[in-house]
Structures are given as C-alpha cells and as structure tokens.
C-alpha cells in the first residue's frame, strides 16, 4: 500500500510509460453508468465549471503524471472551455485518479487552497508536467513549481503532511475504480457515457453536438 511517506520521497521516480495505463479506443469503451451515482460528489467534493443547467456534463478522471492527460489539458481543454464551458453549454469537473505517489502529492497541493486555486494549479502542473514529473528529483521540482502559486516551503510541506487530505484524494480514486470501473487515465464520462483515452476537440464535438442540437 502506498503511504503518505512515499508521496514525499524525491527519489527520481520512474514515472513514464510504464506507469501510464495503455490508451484505448474511445468508441470501444463507450458505455453507460448510472448518472445519479456518478454526479454524487466524493470525499473532496467537485469543483465544477459551467452552469448546473448545461445540457452536457463532462467528468474527467485524470492523473497529474499522465502524459495523455497533460496533452488533453494543453491541446483540447482550452478550446473546449472557450467554445462550450464558458458559453454555458457544458459543465465540467476534474476528479483525482493518481497513478503514483507523485500524482497524489500534486493533487493534494492543488486542493490545499480550496476551490479557487484548484484549476489554476492543475492547469499549471499539466502545462509544465515535463519540468517536474519527469525529473531526477520530482518533489523538489514540484516545490519550485508551486512557488509560482504562492506556496512557501512551510505551506508546501504542511500540505503534504495532511493525512486527511491524502486519504480523501485516494478516496476519490478508489470510488472511481470500484464504483465507476475507471482503470486508466484519462477517462471521461459525458452525460453518463464512459470514454477512455485522450480526446480531441473533434472527438468531443462528435459526441456533444447532437446533444446540444448543433
């Protein structure tokens, strides 16, 4: 079992392709789950973007050290947000599914300052992923990165020592694994339909435009 102590070790973790589960066909894995259960928030609550009455709801399970997740957030998410979330057509949330101790630590840091800092920090870490996740001393690099978000050394260390937060992040993952059968990242639930693998703007639009009547 991974402990909190593991999440603090700057030991040059080999976080690469071996830790990132295979990207699979979205079409082959599209299936429904009960929407009522899916919409229930986990132990950390959900940080939603977009209105409650949006016709389309997208829930993403991701790992901060997953290269396909980072690619989605750099290449697809900005356009999705501009075209659909900011215009009130889509409601979106990112849920924690850490694949390794470093990803757990990153999500803990993103949650430390509450909802207001969640997306600024996750966006920063996805955008700069190679600069901290794939370095000889990733936790040291992560600490330097979080200085941009106003984290002092004391705040950084206190956040990673928060056992309640550690348990909650892993609780979100465990619920996704056991209840919604999430087993790789990124995994998306679009109005209750599950799609596994990195998604392009075109791929998402093929799914959501018929729902939106576009």
């Amino acid at each position: 079992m991974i402990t909190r102590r593991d999440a603090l070790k700057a030991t040059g973790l080999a976080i690469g392709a071996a830790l990132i589960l295979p990207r699979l066909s979205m079409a082959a894995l599209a299936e429904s789950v009960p929407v009522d259960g899916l919409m229930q928030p986990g132990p950390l609550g959900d940080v939603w973007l977009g209105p409650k009455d949006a016709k389309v709801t997208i829930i993403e399970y991701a790992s901060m050290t997953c290269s396909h997740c980072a690619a989605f957030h750099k290449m697809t998410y900005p356009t999705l947000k501009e075209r659909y979330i900011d215009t009130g057509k889509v409601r979106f949330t990112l849920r924690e599914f850490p694949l390794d101790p470093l990803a757990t630590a990153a999500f803990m840091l993103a949650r430390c300052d509450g909802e207001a800092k969640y997306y600024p920090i996750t966006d920063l870490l996805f955008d700069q992923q190679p600069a901290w996740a794939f370095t000889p001393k990733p936790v040291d690099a992560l600490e330097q990165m979080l200085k941009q978000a106003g984290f002092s050394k004391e705040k950084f260390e206190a956040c990673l020592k928060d056992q309640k937060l550690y348990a909650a992040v892993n609780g979100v993952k465990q619920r996704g694994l056991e209840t919604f059968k999430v087993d790789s990242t990124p995994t998306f639930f679009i109005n209750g339909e599950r799609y596994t693998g990195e998604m392009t703007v075109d791929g998402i639009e093929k799914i959501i435009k018929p729902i939106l009547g576009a």
Side-chain angles (χ1 to χ4, degrees):
M1 182 178 67
I2 295 170
T3 66
R4 187 184 77 248
R5 184 179 182 87
D6 293 325
L8 298 175
K9 290 181 180 178
T11 55
L13 299 175
I15 302 166
L19 286 176
I20 299 169
L21 298 178
R23 183 170 64 177
L24 303 174
S25 166
M26 291 184 298
L29 291 179
E31 56 182 287
S32 296
V33 300
V35 175
D36 288 347
L38 186 64
M39 294 301 291
Q40 292 298 315
L44 286 171
D46 289 319
V47 185
W48 288 101
L49 299 175
K52 289 184 178 180
D53 61 353
K55 289 185 177 180
V56 175
T57 298
I58 299 177
I59 296 172
E60 178 193 7
Y61 281 87
S63 176
M64 294 305 305
T65 53
C66 161
S67 60
H68 294 306
C69 302
F72 169 80
H73 278 269
K74 289 177 69 174
M75 305 300 295
T76 302
Y77 175 74
T79 302
L80 174 68
K81 186 174 185 297
E82 180 183 359
R83 292 182 185 176
Y84 298 101
I85 299 172
D86 292 346
T87 57
K89 299 174 183 177
V90 167
R91 195 175 188 219
F92 173 90
T93 193
L94 170 67
R95 287 181 179 171
E96 295 86 351
F97 199 87
L99 296 179
D100 51 73
L102 187 60
T104 302
F107 274 127
M108 290 172 68
L109 293 162
R111 286 285 190 171
C112 265
D113 271 350
E115 294 189 1
K117 291 285 186 71
Y118 185 60
Y119 287 111
I121 291 176
T122 55
D123 287 348
L124 171 67
L125 296 182
F126 275 132
D127 187 58
Q128 300 295 324
Q129 190 188 77
W132 62 272
F134 309 123
T135 61
K137 294 183 178 181
V139 175
D140 289 349
L142 188 59
E143 182 178 353
Q144 293 300 312
M145 193 72 61
L146 265 293
K147 285 184 178 180
Q148 299 179 42
F151 277 65
S152 65
K153 183 177 183 64
E154 292 75 20
K155 181 176 180 178
F156 181 87
E157 292 179 351
C159 181
L160 294 184
K161 291 177 182 177
D162 187 335
Q163 183 64 45
K164 184 177 179 180
L165 181 56
Y166 172 81
V169 167
N170 283 289
V172 175
K173 175 184 178 178
Q174 200 64 25
R175 182 168 177 259
L177 182 67
E178 295 177 355
T179 304
F180 308 121
K181 310 306 177 186
V182 177
D183 60 5
S184 62
T185 59
T187 291
F188 301 89
F189 291 90
I190 302 177
N191 283 17
E193 291 281 336
R194 178 170 55 201
Y195 299 87
T196 303
E198 185 184 329
M199 300 187 77
T200 64
V201 171
D202 288 345
I204 290 178
E205 287 186 331
K206 288 179 181 178
I207 298 166
I208 69 174
K209 278 187 173 181
I211 302 171
L212 296 171

